[in-house]
Amino acid sequence: MKPNQFSFQQRLRSFRFAFNGIISFLRKEHNAWIHLLATIVVITLGFITNVSSGEWLALLLAVALVWMSEMFNTCIEKLIDFVSTDRHPSLKFIKDVSAGAVLVCAIISMVIGLIIFIPHLNLFNE
């Protein structure tokens, strides 16, 4: 087979690698468990409160954003740990900014969730 020729076998194999990555992430990273719990809560609340299609889109995008940022953060941290065991201000900066990106995503996602769920749950109505 030519190097650039399309192959269904290769595509299926790449999906297997991706699923292995997700499973490894869930097994090895404690923060993944927190995100999984939050995801289950958000999806459950979405069904209970019967959110609209637009609200589902916002919630799912927010959930995906947090998952992706946490996974990228984990990759960045693991790569830095692999490359160097030394403590270096630049490496610390990279790790801190990467972790900060996850925090920003999580806070914005929480705000999105509050904007959507507070009216559905009538938390502040008399």
Side-chain angles (χ1 to χ4, degrees), residues 76-77 80-81 83-84 86-98:
I76 289 167
E77 288 182 350
I80 287 172
D81 291 344
V83 170
S84 176
D86 296 339
R87 291 182 179 248
H88 190 280
S90 293
L91 297 178
K92 180 184 182 332
F93 174 81
I94 293 166
K95 282 185 167 188
D96 289 351
V97 171
S98 181

Side-chain angles (χ1 to χ4, degrees), residues 24-86:
S24 293
F25 178 70
L26 287 168
R27 285 185 178 156
K28 296 177 181 179
E29 295 299 317
H30 295 153
N31 285 345
W33 304 349
I34 295 167
H35 296 308
L36 181 60
L37 177 62
T39 299
I40 291 167
V41 168
V42 166
I43 291 172
T44 301
L45 275 175
F47 282 116
I48 290 171
T49 61
N50 198 29
V51 296
S52 70
S53 296
E55 291 168 327
W56 270 119
L57 287 174
L59 291 170
L60 293 174
L61 285 171
V63 166
L65 182 67
V66 172
W67 277 100
M68 290 185 309
S69 64
E70 184 65 54
M71 293 173 95
F72 284 134
N73 177 55
T74 298
C75 291
I76 289 167
E77 288 182 350
K78 299 291 184 195
L79 184 61
I80 287 172
D81 291 344
F82 179 77
V83 170
S84 176
T85 57
D86 296 339

